[in-house]
């Protein structure tokens, strides 16, 4: 049984989608699909609507807030339409509800990978060798 206020997620093809478990088979999360951020908003949906055929997973980490307060914090943002892939996505929302600070591990990993790629791309070739 999943406790209310738990950070849940589902693996999609190229990313993970996150929300907060409300109980009674309901999850609060940013709705919308990649490429359709204009319609993204924080909403309560059924677990089946959240999963879209995927498997429910739990991200387990301690929270300074009791479960009921996590739920109350999440519900304060119900109807919000300020989605931003890098600064305010579904993972930012779920972590904020549990910890009080927004964070997205998948964004951080993506930014790190982009910087590494750019650094490798701009690295000069070894001395005496021409680039291919």
């Amino acid at each position: 049984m999943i406790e209310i206020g738990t950070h849940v997620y589902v693996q999609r093809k190229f990313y993970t989608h996150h929300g907060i478990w409300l109980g009674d088979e309901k999850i609060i999360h940013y709705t919308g699909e990649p490429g359709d951020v204009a319609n993204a908003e924080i909403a309560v949906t059924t677990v089946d609507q959240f999963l879209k055929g995927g498997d429910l997973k739990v991200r387990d980490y301690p929270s300074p807030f009791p479960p009921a307060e996590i739920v109350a914090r999440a519900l304060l943002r119900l109807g919000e339409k300020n989605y931003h892939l890098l600064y305010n996505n579904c993972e930012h929302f779920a972590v904020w509800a549990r910890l009080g600070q927004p964070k997205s591990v998948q964004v951080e990993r993506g930014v790190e990978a982009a910087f590494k790629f750019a650094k490798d791309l701009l690295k000069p070739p070894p001395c005496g060798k021409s680039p291919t």
Side-chain angles (χ1 to χ4, degrees):
M1 184 170 157
I2 300 173
E3 183 177 38
I4 65 167
T6 296
H7 180 161
V8 295
Y9 68 100
V10 59
Q11 180 68 50
R12 298 276 167 81
K13 191 169 186 173
F14 299 111
Y15 65 98
T16 52
H17 184 56
H18 301 257
I20 296 293
W21 183 263
L22 300 178
D24 296 326
E25 301 292 307
K26 302 280 189 211
I27 297 173
I28 185 169
H29 61 106
Y30 253 113
T31 61
E33 292 299 319
D36 187 25
V37 296
N39 294 317
E41 76 174 279
I42 294 177
V44 175
T45 65
T46 67
V47 68
D48 289 338
Q49 290 169 315
F50 175 81
L51 293 175
K52 294 185 179 181
D55 296 321
L56 186 67
K57 298 179 182 182
V58 169
R59 181 174 286 174
D60 189 25
Y61 54 95
S63 172
F65 306 112
E69 189 172 344
I70 295 166
V71 168
R73 289 170 54 76
L75 289 171
L76 283 173
R77 292 178 58 184
L78 188 63
E80 176 184 293
K81 296 181 179 184
N82 295 324
Y83 181 90
H84 189 283
L85 177 64
L86 300 178
Y87 305 112
N88 194 38
N89 65 34
C90 59
E91 187 178 14
H92 287 110
F93 166 71
V95 172
W96 170 85
R98 287 191 52 86
L99 296 180
Q101 295 291 326
K103 181 177 180 164
S104 175
V105 173
Q106 61 187 331
V107 167
E108 290 172 1
R109 287 182 184 153
V111 168
E112 287 172 9
F115 277 120
K116 182 182 180 326
F117 176 77
K119 182 180 172 187
D120 290 346
L121 191 64
L122 298 173
K123 189 185 317 181
C127 221
K129 299 197 178 197
S130 61
T132 55

